[in-house]
Each structure stands twice: as C-alpha cells, then as structure tokens.
Amino acid sequence: SNTVSAAANGLSRVLARNNVISIIVFPEPRRVRVGKGRRFQGGANRRRGPMTTATDTFRQHLQETQAIHFLPYVGDGYADASPRILMIGEANHGTAPDGADRTYTDGVVRRALQDAAEGNGNHWVRYIRNISAMLTGNAYGGSNAVWDTVAYGVFFQHMETETHRNRSRATPEEIALGRGAFFAMLDVLKPDFVIVWGLTLFKQHWLSPESGITMLAPGLCAYVFTDRPDVRIWHCHHPSRDFSHVSEHQKWEAVRKLHIDRKSTRLNSS
C-alpha cells in the first residue's frame, strides 16, 4: 500500500545516512476467501482466541436477559454438572453505588472463594465452606471445588443498604422484579435443583404463590412448581451461624433421593 511504501522509503533514507545497507522485505498480505467476499490476513499465523464453552453460553444469555439485574455467579463446570444446582440467596448487601454493578454477586462469590483458598476469614468464607461441606458431606474447611459446578444468584434485584431491614416490608414492585429475575434464571440456567438459603422466601410466598407449588416432603421443605415439575426446590438452613453442615447434608441427600425415586416412578409409569 502507499502507507507501507512511504514507511519503507523513509526508513531506507535513515539507514543510508548512517552508511548502513539493509534490505527490508515486507511480507505480501495473503488474500483469504470468506464466502463471496475477501479479506486480508497478515503473513504470520493468527492466534486463535479461547474456545467458547457451554457455560460461557449460559453467561452470555444471562447478560442478555433484561429481567436479571444482578448476574449470578456460574461456576466454570456448571453446564456439564450432574445434577445442575442453582442456589438462591435473598439479597446483596452493599452501598447504593454498588447497586449499579451487574457483576456484584459474581464478584462477591469469587472474592470469597479466593479468601477461602488463602486462609482468610469472613462471613462469606463461612458460607462457602458450609455449603461445600453440606453438598459433599466432607469436613468443614475442606475442598471448595464443588463451587466450580454450581450457580448462585439473589432474589431481590436492588442493593440492600440497610443491615437489618425487615424484608417482610418488601414492596410489591421489589417482589415482582425479584420473581421475574428468579424465573429468568430458571429459564436460562435450566437447573435440576434450586437450593434456597433460608425459609423467608418460602414463608412469604415470594418465589411463587402457595397455590402454584406441589410439596414433595413438607418436613424437608422440598417442592416443585406446578408448571415446572422437573425442577426440585429445597430450602436449606441459611449457611450463616448455627449451621450444621452434617444435618443439612443428610437433608440434602434425602432431597436427592426424592428426585431419583420420583424420576424412576415417572419412567416406570410411561
């Protein structure tokens, strides 16, 4: 091109003034046919970008979903996990400016996982370790690798700036936005199980009206939505203080058995 030729001539004059003889060879761009058009590709091998995984596709769809403000954390191995587990907390806690950050939830979980790996301690590290022990049955403080296979989102889509707000005073608009985000997460992530932290969302009927659920085991607070019978929903104890990962693991195993038994019954009757 004219630009390349000008650059070469200029460089030749500089080299000549310094009594340097040099031959500069500029590679001819290769034409690569793409469909009916053509494009230029440099002479050197082009580096390929990282491959897009199924989990990346989930994340992309979440970003494109307007009903979800706070994007959930999605572990790298979520798409291939069996079963797929989506966990739901009530709300994010932070400052009002933090509320504009769609990646806030994801950042909280990833920082907690890093803190846990480095041996640091805070309430979120306690959540991470309690959930790991509950899901796996391993000892508290062991591997947190299970978090690579799960997802975690929050119900309320506004930032909770008050430390001890009475959430029974949530406005109809807040509940409607939360419910819309929750069902959007179900549509995109297609989990087999939803593990809700605490009983508040169940007692307040915020996830779904009471008439829209079918209880599987009242003693375990496990149920399905009438119009989504393949997604099992279970409310565990909130993984904060007074959390028995041993007791909750036993309940989790019972919920999983309900899923297996119900699935086998459906297959045998078909």
Side-chain angles (χ1 to χ4, degrees):
S1 68
N2 294 335
T3 302
V4 172
S5 299
N9 292 334
L11 182 58
S12 297
R13 288 194 294 273
V14 172
L15 293 175
R17 284 198 300 271
N18 289 277
N19 297 319
V20 176
I21 299 175
S22 177
I23 298 175
I24 302 174
V25 179
F26 290 90
E28 180 71 17
R30 292 186 290 115
R31 289 185 181 272
V32 179
R33 184 178 295 276
V34 179
K36 296 182 179 180
R38 292 175 181 266
R39 63 182 173 86
F40 281 108
Q41 179 176 307
N45 291 331
R46 300 185 66 191
R47 295 183 60 186
R48 295 183 179 180
M51 293 181 62
T52 300
T53 67
T55 297
D56 290 332
T57 302
F58 277 131
R59 291 171 179 150
Q60 182 62 37
H61 289 167
L62 288 168
Q63 291 178 350
E64 295 169 353
T65 304
Q66 295 183 356
I68 303 172
H69 175 64
F70 287 123
L71 300 172
Y73 159 85
V74 183
D76 290 339
Y78 176 82
D80 298 321
S82 182
R84 288 179 183 163
I85 301 171
L86 167 63
M87 294 184 290
I88 295 292
E90 289 182 25
N92 281 323
H93 296 264
T95 65
D98 289 335
D101 182 4
R102 292 191 75 197
T103 66
Y104 187 86
T105 304
D106 178 78
V108 166
V109 175
R110 293 187 185 278
R111 284 191 296 273
L113 286 168
Q114 184 64 36
D115 285 341
E118 295 174 353
N120 300 326
N122 57 52
H123 69 283
W124 250 102
V125 170
R126 186 166 64 248
Y127 298 170
I128 293 290
R129 291 174 174 165
N130 273 333
I131 291 297
S132 295
M134 179 192 80
L135 292 176
T136 64
N138 296 334
Y140 179 88
S143 171
N144 295 313
V146 70
W147 277 86
D148 190 55
T149 66
V150 302
Y152 171 82
V154 293
F155 179 80
F156 287 112
Q157 297 300 293
H158 65 277
M159 180 63 72
E160 188 60 76
T161 58
E162 298 180 35
T163 305
H164 300 291
R165 181 191 179 194
N166 183 353
R167 290 200 191 89
S168 63
R169 299 176 183 173
T171 67
E173 180 183 8
E174 290 172 342
I175 296 169
L177 289 173
R179 189 175 291 173
F182 172 67
F183 281 104
M185 286 184 236
L186 295 187
D187 290 338
V188 174
L189 293 173
K190 298 176 172 54
D192 299 300
F193 289 96
V194 175
I195 300 179
V196 184
W197 292 7
L199 290 173
T200 302
L201 294 176
F202 174 73
K203 292 179 177 178
Q204 297 292 337
H205 309 302
W206 286 341
L207 293 183
S208 180
E210 187 175 11
S211 59
I213 67 174
T214 301
M215 296 300 298
L216 301 177
L220 293 172
C221 197
Y223 57 91
V224 296
F225 292 125
T226 305
D227 58 349
R228 296 170 185 258
D230 292 330
V231 182
R232 307 294 186 268
I233 301 170
W234 172 54
H235 290 253
C236 72
H237 193 80
H238 195 283
S240 52
R241 297 176 181 176
D242 303 323
F243 182 90
S244 171
H245 61 83
V246 175
S247 174
E248 294 301 306
H249 175 68
Q250 292 172 349
K251 294 176 184 177
W252 166 235
E253 287 298 304
V255 171
R256 291 191 64 180
K257 187 175 185 302
L258 279 174
H259 173 67
I260 295 171
D261 291 346
R262 187 180 176 91
K263 189 174 182 179
S264 298
T265 301
R266 191 167 62 249
L267 289 174
N268 292 333
S269 60
S270 61

